[in-house]
Amino acid sequence: MPEIREQVDVCVVGAGHAGCEAALACARLGLETVIFTVSVDSIALMPCNPNIGGSSKGHLVREIDALGGEMGKNIDKTFIQSKMLNISKGPAVHSLRAQADKSEYSREMRKVLENQDHLTVKQAEVCELLAEDLNEDEKCTAKKKIVGIKTFTGAVYECKSVILCTGTYLKARCLCGEAITYTGPNGLQPANHLTDSLKDLGIEIRRFKTGTPARMDRRSIDFSKMEEQFGDEKVVPFSFSTNPDDVQIDQVSCYLTYTNEKTHEIIKNNLDRSPIYAGVIEGTGPRYCPSIEDKVVKFADKERHQVFIEPEGLHTNEMYVGGMSSSLPEDVQLAMYRTVPGLEHCKIVRNAYAIEYDCIDPMQLYPSLEFKEIKGLFSGGQFNGSSGYEEAAAQGLIAGINAAQSIFGKEPLILDRSEAYIGVLIDDLVTKENFEPYRMMTSRAEYRLLLRQDNADLRLRKKGYEVGLITKGQYDYVCNKEKMIDEETNRIKNTMVGASKEIQQFLEKMGSASLKTAASLAELICRPELNYELVSEIDEKRKPLPYDVIEQVNINIKYEGYIERQMRQVKQYKKMETRKIPEDIDYGDIDSLRLEARQKLIKFKPVSVGQASRISGVSPADISVLLVYLEHFKERKALLDIDSKKN
Amino acid sequence: MKTETIAAIATAMSDSGIGIIRISGEDAVSIIDKIYCSKNKKKKLSQVKSHTIHYGFIYDGEELIDEVMVAVMKGPHSYTTEDTVEINCHGGILLMNRILGVVLKNGARIAEPGEFTKRAFLNGRIDLSKAEAVMDVIQSKNEFALKSSMNQLNGSIYKKIKELREEIIFEIAFIESALDDPEHISTEGYHEKLTVKIEDLTKRIFKLILSSENGKILKEGINTVIVGKPNVGKSSLLNLLAGEEKAIVTDIAGTTRDALEETIKLHGISLNIIDTAGIRSTEDAVEKIGVEKAKKYAKSADLIVYVVDSSVDLDESDEDIMEMIKEKNTIILLNKTDLDPVITEDDLCKKLDDLQKESSINIDSGIGLKNRKYKIIKTSTKENIGIDDFEDMVKEMFFHHELKFNDEVFITNMRHKEALQDAYDSLLLVKRSLEDRMPEDFYSIDLMNAYTSLGIIIGEEVKDDLVNEIFSKFCMGK
């Protein structure tokens, strides 16, 4: 049978947020890349909430941008409202969130993909992975290597790497009460064939579930009964490359309203018709974005729940009803939505639904996002058991970078927990046992005072530059910024002010205690009521500096004690992180390990002692044992090497 | 790379001879400098030659603690290859603990089980062929420490720590969910609320620290179990020793149905005495449970006091008991000497000898009954005769090291105290951050540290607690 047979470097399966980043990274690094999607019209689709960013997710977008990804740039081009969240709290938890014009977002990303050199967009369902057994001498942990993919129509693409970013499409099933359809999100065609091929390769599959609320016709909503919510007056862009002047646009509003007892009553009375409570749903759903049914049942004492009405774009009347995702039947949905103030006469454009899909347990992956058992196979996004556009994009970018690094014969890019939220995200995914779709949260980042959205460029530009996704010019800019920050921080620390009359007057004016002896400007900045900008009056030698430099100087000085404490913790953490575990270690050989620890270590194959210590069921004593063993192992190996040289 | 400096008591924990406290790590010498004072007050141990020993005194601030000899061994020529200091002090559990406490206060942390050995190995001091032995030591010492930590933790203290932790994690979860979902959860007015809460938490932890100093956190002392047939005078013995009516004493056999516990001091030695139900074959369900319990207690006892009624013949139940105590440190009280004797010391010895012969166990090894030298004392609990002899016997056994404290008790106590102190310090940092009006995300880190430290005491790790708490207590999301 004649068939199409092509040779490329990388095949990316899926063109959602993970797939787009993965494909762009590979193509930009010069690799011939094909990105497959079941529908070219649904590239970078946002099938759920119409926003990018938010607490900790905003950090991810910043990091993606610092490494050379696309998400930040794309939302800067297509947002319709933007807010910096948590500004009343510490700088580490400030987080950007922007409402997107969904169709614009999708269209812009498609444009970027279509105009990227070395990248081909292809509409086709990939239904088989082609793999070969590794030769005896190539064998390590992996037993197979990827050699290509096959589409439903029979076309074969030979390649060196495959990146799976299938999102929620694998064997997808949507539920709206008793009505069940076998479709992907938004009624799109699901991918029903790939799962079997994955299983044949020995990949373990599991099933997760998520959901989305209804969309309503703007004309049917009475906004006068709701609280209007505006965007920030001064918008901060996501991307470090976006000119801040370009994002000062006219913004649209969102609206806040609440559920009430009547809403809850309708839900309670119809629980038996909810697929979740009726036991129809088999997948595990996330606890952090519970359906309204879940909220009402689990938090029965809460009299009301917030509902956010958000526009889906400038050129549509559809409005997203945040806070009320559901899988109840259509009639119950309409009744319950209509109890909410402002929604009394609402017309539903799209019903709320729950979706179930196949995904993997990501402990089958290395932190590079390559499968432990199959060389050249990478994966990212919801397929890895995460949730959220930003989490997906972050993984897609790392999977793309590492597929390329592997083809180039370079070490993978692995960010650790002290370097980036992306590091926390991936480490959690591949190390900890997750039983629900994983969402990023600031509380998951133990070194978060260092992992701020404002310093993502300082943390990660260099890595992006080394990989090749950041230009020399962008990198030089950051180096220069760093230099200015250091110099100014030192100057402030070493600038002393005496207890002179002017100084005391200034302090009095600021409501700050007077000085008894001379103090440095830094000491003054540390006072809760003062900051870098406020003390400019008594800082005679201050030169004008860019805003982003000032911001860093202020944070460095104001929170120095806390930041230093975290740096010390990081140092401790790094010690264990840098102790690598050789791939050929035989845990069965270490009798002193407790049985549970041994089984877990064999299962997870941690790459470092640090990673091993985070696996549940591995105790500190097991880690001590492991350290002793590794020492022993190293020496023994050295002896063997000497022996083999002698022979 | 800088390693933490560790310290521990290196000798057996007993009230005799001398004790050694070992400190190892980069700061070992600087720590000893802070607490050591020579006779002429001029000597600095940081300036002495390696492998020398020095006479002087250990101070806790201004207070003199002990007269000591301090050996200074600079790395790499020491057991761990790190700078090592050994304080040779007077023996005595309290004193050694006190000195260790001073060392910890000045910058060392308490060594993990097997840590000196681990360091010696990792620093290349121990032959690689011993790697396996080293790993076993670490694992077994650790398991033992964990087990004893849990076993010895006083029930009410355990409960208190659990409560503290639950309250702390609730606060963290609140803060974190507010940070993650600022539009759903507001922190307005929280600052003030938490300030009050922290005040309360620190007070409670401080109380626990005080009680750890009094050794009340752990069930300290030699576990002593009184066994015997019903109505031989076990409870009377406990009352005599405790100096009060703890146990109900009647003429009816089987009065004590559950075990009674009492801590007493004999010549400065703490005995944790458990009075058990009399052992006999019984059909009474409640009593039966008591008997089973008695057997269980006897199994884990450091010392068994076997009370025999000299006015009644030995029977099968006595054989049962003798079988049970065969490998144990035992003192046998031939009680009720105020009545006409039916059995004598010789009868008892003969019976015991017979039993030993039947047994296939090597009878020459170890201590206790196996020594064939039975410790039998004639007593009358009714007339308070022979109790002094009993006390002397316990003392003698203790000072001849036949009876030992479980060393881990004290190490555990020290560990617990350290963890409590850490939790307390973390909460003080929270308090300071609140006073400085720092944002929530700063102090939630210290709250987490306090939570983790308290977890060490009750042997609980953190892992996913926070995320679970957030989702179960706070409603978030789309």
PDB file of all heavy atoms in Angstrom, chain B residues 193-203 427-428 430-431 434 447:
ATOM      1  N   LYS B 193      -5.858  38.682  64.464  1.00  0.00           N
ATOM      2  CA  LYS B 193      -6.306  37.374  64.927  1.00  0.00           C
ATOM      3  C   LYS B 193      -5.113  36.445  65.145  1.00  0.00           C
ATOM      4  O   LYS B 193      -5.020  35.748  66.151  1.00  0.00           O
ATOM      5  CB  LYS B 193      -7.256  36.777  63.871  1.00  0.00           C
ATOM      6  CG  LYS B 193      -8.454  36.077  64.447  1.00  0.00           C
ATOM      7  CD  LYS B 193      -9.322  35.480  63.352  1.00  0.00           C
ATOM      8  CE  LYS B 193      -9.119  33.993  63.264  1.00  0.00           C
ATOM      9  NZ  LYS B 193      -9.578  33.417  61.992  1.00  0.00           N
ATOM     10  N   LEU B 194      -4.204  36.476  64.192  1.00  0.00           N
ATOM     11  CA  LEU B 194      -3.056  35.577  64.295  1.00  0.00           C
ATOM     12  C   LEU B 194      -2.139  35.990  65.449  1.00  0.00           C
ATOM     13  O   LEU B 194      -1.562  35.134  66.123  1.00  0.00           O
ATOM     14  CB  LEU B 194      -2.267  35.555  62.977  1.00  0.00           C
ATOM     15  CG  LEU B 194      -1.128  34.530  62.959  1.00  0.00           C
ATOM     16  CD1 LEU B 194      -1.676  33.107  63.047  1.00  0.00           C
ATOM     17  CD2 LEU B 194      -0.282  34.655  61.702  1.00  0.00           C
ATOM     18  N   THR B 195      -2.029  37.283  65.676  1.00  0.00           N
ATOM     19  CA  THR B 195      -1.184  37.743  66.770  1.00  0.00           C
ATOM     20  C   THR B 195      -1.636  37.110  68.089  1.00  0.00           C
ATOM     21  O   THR B 195      -0.818  36.618  68.870  1.00  0.00           O
ATOM     22  CB  THR B 195      -1.256  39.282  66.879  1.00  0.00           C
ATOM     23  OG1 THR B 195      -0.932  39.819  65.597  1.00  0.00           O
ATOM     24  CG2 THR B 195      -0.286  39.801  67.913  1.00  0.00           C
ATOM     25  N   VAL B 196      -2.933  37.095  68.298  1.00  0.00           N
ATOM     26  CA  VAL B 196      -3.480  36.495  69.511  1.00  0.00           C
ATOM     27  C   VAL B 196      -3.184  34.998  69.543  1.00  0.00           C
ATOM     28  O   VAL B 196      -2.757  34.434  70.546  1.00  0.00           O
ATOM     29  CB  VAL B 196      -5.009  36.727  69.582  1.00  0.00           C
ATOM     30  CG1 VAL B 196      -5.600  36.033  70.797  1.00  0.00           C
ATOM     31  CG2 VAL B 196      -5.304  38.216  69.596  1.00  0.00           C
ATOM     32  N   LYS B 197      -3.388  34.395  68.396  1.00  0.00           N
ATOM     33  CA  LYS B 197      -3.183  32.942  68.285  1.00  0.00           C
ATOM     34  C   LYS B 197      -1.727  32.572  68.590  1.00  0.00           C
ATOM     35  O   LYS B 197      -1.455  31.618  69.313  1.00  0.00           O
ATOM     36  CB  LYS B 197      -3.553  32.510  66.858  1.00  0.00           C
ATOM     37  CG  LYS B 197      -3.470  31.040  66.624  1.00  0.00           C
ATOM     38  CD  LYS B 197      -4.749  30.361  67.029  1.00  0.00           C
ATOM     39  CE  LYS B 197      -4.432  29.015  67.622  1.00  0.00           C
ATOM     40  NZ  LYS B 197      -5.620  28.362  68.151  1.00  0.00           N
ATOM     41  N   ILE B 198      -0.812  33.330  68.027  1.00  0.00           N
ATOM     42  CA  ILE B 198       0.613  33.026  68.216  1.00  0.00           C
ATOM     43  C   ILE B 198       0.989  33.153  69.690  1.00  0.00           C
ATOM     44  O   ILE B 198       1.739  32.337  70.237  1.00  0.00           O
ATOM     45  CB  ILE B 198       1.485  33.983  67.365  1.00  0.00           C
ATOM     46  CG1 ILE B 198       1.263  33.708  65.875  1.00  0.00           C
ATOM     47  CG2 ILE B 198       2.967  33.840  67.713  1.00  0.00           C
ATOM     48  CD1 ILE B 198       1.728  32.368  65.395  1.00  0.00           C
ATOM     49  N   GLU B 199       0.422  34.167  70.314  1.00  0.00           N
ATOM     50  CA  GLU B 199       0.673  34.359  71.742  1.00  0.00           C
ATOM     51  C   GLU B 199       0.303  33.083  72.503  1.00  0.00           C
ATOM     52  O   GLU B 199       1.066  32.570  73.313  1.00  0.00           O
ATOM     53  CB  GLU B 199      -0.190  35.544  72.215  1.00  0.00           C
ATOM     54  CG  GLU B 199       0.221  36.143  73.515  1.00  0.00           C
ATOM     55  CD  GLU B 199       1.631  36.718  73.451  1.00  0.00           C
ATOM     56  OE1 GLU B 199       2.010  37.338  72.430  1.00  0.00           O
ATOM     57  OE2 GLU B 199       2.366  36.514  74.434  1.00  0.00           O
ATOM     58  N   ASP B 200      -0.856  32.569  72.191  1.00  0.00           N
ATOM     59  CA  ASP B 200      -1.357  31.366  72.844  1.00  0.00           C
ATOM     60  C   ASP B 200      -0.475  30.157  72.530  1.00  0.00           C
ATOM     61  O   ASP B 200      -0.084  29.410  73.418  1.00  0.00           O
ATOM     62  CB  ASP B 200      -2.810  31.127  72.376  1.00  0.00           C
ATOM     63  CG  ASP B 200      -3.342  29.779  72.803  1.00  0.00           C
ATOM     64  OD1 ASP B 200      -3.290  29.505  74.007  1.00  0.00           O
ATOM     65  OD2 ASP B 200      -3.795  29.014  71.940  1.00  0.00           O
ATOM     66  N   LEU B 201      -0.116  30.009  71.260  1.00  0.00           N
ATOM     67  CA  LEU B 201       0.688  28.851  70.860  1.00  0.00           C
ATOM     68  C   LEU B 201       2.063  28.874  71.532  1.00  0.00           C
ATOM     69  O   LEU B 201       2.533  27.853  72.026  1.00  0.00           O
ATOM     70  CB  LEU B 201       0.858  28.824  69.333  1.00  0.00           C
ATOM     71  CG  LEU B 201      -0.391  28.503  68.499  1.00  0.00           C
ATOM     72  CD1 LEU B 201      -0.125  28.749  67.021  1.00  0.00           C
ATOM     73  CD2 LEU B 201      -0.822  27.065  68.699  1.00  0.00           C
ATOM     74  N   THR B 202       2.700  30.047  71.546  1.00  0.00           N
ATOM     75  CA  THR B 202       4.041  30.107  72.134  1.00  0.00           C
ATOM     76  C   THR B 202       3.960  29.779  73.625  1.00  0.00           C
ATOM     77  O   THR B 202       4.819  29.077  74.150  1.00  0.00           O
ATOM     78  CB  THR B 202       4.693  31.495  71.971  1.00  0.00           C
ATOM     79  OG1 THR B 202       3.726  32.490  72.276  1.00  0.00           O
ATOM     80  CG2 THR B 202       5.212  31.709  70.576  1.00  0.00           C
ATOM     81  N   LYS B 203       2.929  30.255  74.279  1.00  0.00           N
ATOM     82  CA  LYS B 203       2.783  29.959  75.715  1.00  0.00           C
ATOM     83  C   LYS B 203       2.708  28.459  75.933  1.00  0.00           C
ATOM     84  O   LYS B 203       3.339  27.910  76.833  1.00  0.00           O
ATOM     85  CB  LYS B 203       1.515  30.626  76.247  1.00  0.00           C
ATOM     86  CG  LYS B 203       1.798  31.962  76.909  1.00  0.00           C
ATOM     87  CD  LYS B 203       0.572  32.443  77.662  1.00  0.00           C
ATOM     88  CE  LYS B 203       0.619  33.954  77.791  1.00  0.00           C
ATOM     89  NZ  LYS B 203      -0.710  34.544  77.751  1.00  0.00           N
ATOM     90  N   LEU B 427       8.078  30.328  66.059  1.00  0.00           N
ATOM     91  CA  LEU B 427       6.893  31.125  66.366  1.00  0.00           C
ATOM     92  C   LEU B 427       7.271  32.534  66.824  1.00  0.00           C
ATOM     93  O   LEU B 427       6.563  33.497  66.553  1.00  0.00           O
ATOM     94  CB  LEU B 427       6.022  30.437  67.415  1.00  0.00           C
ATOM     95  CG  LEU B 427       5.310  29.170  66.954  1.00  0.00           C
ATOM     96  CD1 LEU B 427       4.362  28.661  68.021  1.00  0.00           C
ATOM     97  CD2 LEU B 427       4.528  29.407  65.659  1.00  0.00           C
ATOM     98  N   LEU B 428       8.424  32.636  67.493  1.00  0.00           N
ATOM     99  CA  LEU B 428       8.886  33.977  67.865  1.00  0.00           C
ATOM    100  C   LEU B 428       9.182  34.804  66.622  1.00  0.00           C
ATOM    101  O   LEU B 428       8.914  36.004  66.572  1.00  0.00           O
ATOM    102  CB  LEU B 428      10.142  33.893  68.737  1.00  0.00           C
ATOM    103  CG  LEU B 428       9.934  33.422  70.180  1.00  0.00           C
ATOM    104  CD1 LEU B 428      11.215  33.611  70.979  1.00  0.00           C
ATOM    105  CD2 LEU B 428       8.793  34.184  70.855  1.00  0.00           C
ATOM    106  N   VAL B 430       7.654  34.462  63.822  1.00  0.00           N
ATOM    107  CA  VAL B 430       6.337  34.850  63.303  1.00  0.00           C
ATOM    108  C   VAL B 430       5.861  36.097  64.043  1.00  0.00           C
ATOM    109  O   VAL B 430       5.401  37.067  63.446  1.00  0.00           O
ATOM    110  CB  VAL B 430       5.299  33.722  63.496  1.00  0.00           C
ATOM    111  CG1 VAL B 430       3.921  34.173  63.039  1.00  0.00           C
ATOM    112  CG2 VAL B 430       5.731  32.469  62.738  1.00  0.00           C
ATOM    113  N   LYS B 431       6.047  36.048  65.344  1.00  0.00           N
ATOM    114  CA  LYS B 431       5.611  37.161  66.174  1.00  0.00           C
ATOM    115  C   LYS B 431       6.321  38.450  65.745  1.00  0.00           C
ATOM    116  O   LYS B 431       5.696  39.499  65.596  1.00  0.00           O
ATOM    117  CB  LYS B 431       5.946  36.833  67.630  1.00  0.00           C
ATOM    118  CG  LYS B 431       5.165  37.643  68.619  1.00  0.00           C
ATOM    119  CD  LYS B 431       5.446  37.157  70.032  1.00  0.00           C
ATOM    120  CE  LYS B 431       5.234  38.297  71.006  1.00  0.00           C
ATOM    121  NZ  LYS B 431       5.818  38.039  72.305  1.00  0.00           N
ATOM    122  N   LEU B 434       5.017  39.714  62.539  1.00  0.00           N
ATOM    123  CA  LEU B 434       3.707  40.348  62.722  1.00  0.00           C
ATOM    124  C   LEU B 434       3.884  41.757  63.276  1.00  0.00           C
ATOM    125  O   LEU B 434       3.217  42.698  62.843  1.00  0.00           O
ATOM    126  CB  LEU B 434       2.843  39.518  63.673  1.00  0.00           C
ATOM    127  CG  LEU B 434       2.228  38.237  63.102  1.00  0.00           C
ATOM    128  CD1 LEU B 434       1.664  37.361  64.208  1.00  0.00           C
ATOM    129  CD2 LEU B 434       1.133  38.568  62.095  1.00  0.00           C
ATOM    130  N   LEU B 447       5.802  29.570  60.238  1.00  0.00           N
ATOM    131  CA  LEU B 447       4.749  28.720  60.795  1.00  0.00           C
ATOM    132  C   LEU B 447       4.968  27.278  60.353  1.00  0.00           C
ATOM    133  O   LEU B 447       4.836  26.337  61.117  1.00  0.00           O
ATOM    134  CB  LEU B 447       3.372  29.185  60.319  1.00  0.00           C
ATOM    135  CG  LEU B 447       2.703  30.315  61.086  1.00  0.00           C
ATOM    136  CD1 LEU B 447       1.452  30.768  60.355  1.00  0.00           C
ATOM    137  CD2 LEU B 447       2.352  29.877  62.501  1.00  0.00           C
TER     138      LEU B 447
END
